[in-house]
Amino acid sequence: MSITVVGSVAFDSIETPVGRRERCLGGAATYFALAASYFTAVRVIAVVGEDFSAAEEAVFTARGIDLRGLERAAGKSFFWAGNYLENLNEAKTEQTDLNVFSSFNPQIPEAYLDSDFLFLANIDPVLQKRVREAMPQARLVCGDTMNYWINDHRAALVEVLPAMDVLLINDTETRLLSGKQNSVQAARDVLALGPRALVVKHGEYGATAFFEAGAFGENVDARRAFRAPALPLAEVVDPTGAGDSFAGGFFGYIASQPELTRAVFRRAMFYGSVMGSFAVERFGTERLQELSREEIDARFERLRELTHLD
Ligand code: AMP
């Protein structure tokens, strides 16, 4: 089984209370792909510029990630700068340079067309829709978005939401999309826009899944919401990519299982939390590059202990 992901591959400059890093490898598709690669085969669709070197490429290939859909264009790669000096749960964006992304027209390699799973990472919703339509065979589609698209490109975003089986966004984005403050009412409003399930990420407080009635048929008991905790960590070095790593663990685990059942959905939420917790322990993608499945499963057990009553 394989997941195809479309999204940003970027250079990030990041400042947190722990320190600063200039131009480290980042991007939503990068974090997603690395996290998901511990569970299943991953294929990337993105664009980079001439500043993307063999060293960055090796981060993907060392994890077996397929880069045949990574276009190399003249110019510079997407660049993002942000800080977490006031709030560790939410980045303050200082600079966004789209660079080669401004004229990105995703090309899907023939070899990707048999992917059963598709992740539409944070990117222009027009492109998300185009990729979904070009990959009609994908059985399960998950996606993400951000405040910029919600505020300034709402019409295009609303067009792609019905194509998503699971939308994964954070609390602020959920409220922004619905206009409501109450989290349950906001979730209902977002589900009414079309996704069959909504996973709201609460940063250091975990994540909650809400379902459209009857979503995923008999297999998933969709009547009730489900909450996965986040692992309490003594030090958060860099929160960048936590949300995309959550999505990678979540979707990667689902793709590795024979079918989507209630238990698989719930475990996927825990694996999402696990991958998010690793992502924040070091700057950039450092920690996600060198994990083992044993470490991942040990942390899964810690989450289970954290929440079980007996
Ligand atoms: P996260 O912390 O999981 O929400 O995602 C962080 C990543 O999103 C960073 O590595 C950035 O490169 C990337 N990013 C930031 N802004 C954008 C944007 N407007 N479009 C696509 N990717 C972005």
Side-chain angles (χ1 to χ4, degrees):
M1 288 301 166
S2 69
I3 301 180
T4 291
V5 53
V6 58
S8 55
V9 172
F11 287 101
D12 292 344
S13 288
I14 302 159
E15 188 168 10
T16 82
V18 176
R20 214 186 142 78
R21 287 287 187 285
E22 304 296 336
R23 293 186 62 78
C24 54
L25 176 64
T30 304
Y31 283 103
F32 177 91
L34 287 172
S37 72
Y38 290 92
F39 301 88
T40 193
V42 186
R43 299 157 163 180
V44 173
I45 300 171
V47 61
V48 291
E50 290 144 334
D51 48 2
F52 187 86
S53 72
E56 280 83 38
E57 186 174 326
V59 172
F60 291 87
T61 50
R63 293 289 323 139
I65 296 165
D66 192 334
L67 292 183
R68 281 177 291 180
L70 184 70
E71 183 190 329
R72 286 138 207 282
K76 283 181 158 188
S77 300
F78 180 95
F79 173 76
W80 177 80
N83 76 66
Y84 300 86
L85 299 177
E86 278 161 34
N87 182 357
L88 265 183
N89 277 323
E90 209 160 308
K92 183 156 180 255
T93 294
E94 293 165 354
Q95 196 176 330
T96 302
D97 298 338
L98 289 178
N99 297 328
V100 293
F101 246 93
S102 57
S103 54
F104 180 44
N105 182 18
Q107 304 297 318
I108 297 142
E110 190 88 25
Y112 285 16
L113 290 176
D114 62 357
S115 277
D116 279 317
F117 302 92
L118 175 62
F119 188 71
L120 306 170
N122 175 24
I123 189 181
D124 185 338
V126 170
L127 300 184
Q128 289 182 320
K129 186 151 179 273
R130 204 178 292 164
V131 172
R132 197 317 170 220
E133 284 168 356
M135 298 189 68
Q137 82 305 323
R139 290 195 277 124
L140 202 70
V141 182
C142 294
D144 187 9
T145 191
M146 70 181 292
N147 50 7
Y148 172 68
W149 307 114
I150 298 170
N151 286 329
D152 298 350
H153 296 257
R154 183 176 281 257
L157 180 61
V158 162
E159 290 235 339
V160 73
L161 290 180
M164 293 189 192
D165 294 298
V166 186
L167 173 67
L168 298 104
I169 51 180
N170 67 28
D171 287 298
T172 311
E173 290 153 358
T174 307
R175 295 204 171 102
L176 209 54
L177 203 44
S178 88
K180 297 217 176 86
Q181 285 301 310
N182 176 281
S183 61
V184 178
Q185 290 178 18
R188 279 197 203 121
D189 282 0
V190 173
L191 287 172
L193 293 173
R196 293 158 77 196
L198 168 69
V199 173
V200 184
K201 297 168 284 181
H202 316 298
E204 66 178 306
Y205 305 112
T208 310
F210 298 91
F211 302 93
E212 191 54 80
F216 312 112
E218 299 280 291
N219 275 348
V220 177
D221 176 4
R223 287 166 302 175
R224 300 258 181 267
F226 178 70
R227 162 82 48 97
L231 201 71
L233 295 171
E235 188 182 50
V236 172
V237 172
D238 171 16
T240 312
D244 302 308
S245 304
F246 180 101
F250 170 82
F251 207 18
Y253 179 72
I254 288 177
S256 74
Q257 298 302 299
E259 61 175 334
L260 180 57
T261 62
R262 174 177 184 264
V264 166
F265 198 105
R266 291 180 166 213
R267 286 172 157 264
M269 296 273 293
F270 270 51
Y271 276 111
S273 264
V274 165
M275 299 314 286
S277 77
F278 282 122
V280 304
E281 283 185 338
R282 303 244 193 96
F283 272 100
T285 58
E286 278 172 31
R287 187 74 173 105
L288 289 180
Q289 290 174 36
E290 45 143 62
L291 289 168
S292 68
R293 192 55 202 259
E294 289 70 36
E295 279 178 290
I296 291 168
D297 286 330
R299 205 165 266 200
F300 182 94
E301 287 308 318
R302 276 177 63 195
L303 269 191
R304 190 202 284 277
E305 279 168 28
L306 183 74
T307 49
H308 275 227
L309 288 171
D310 46 20

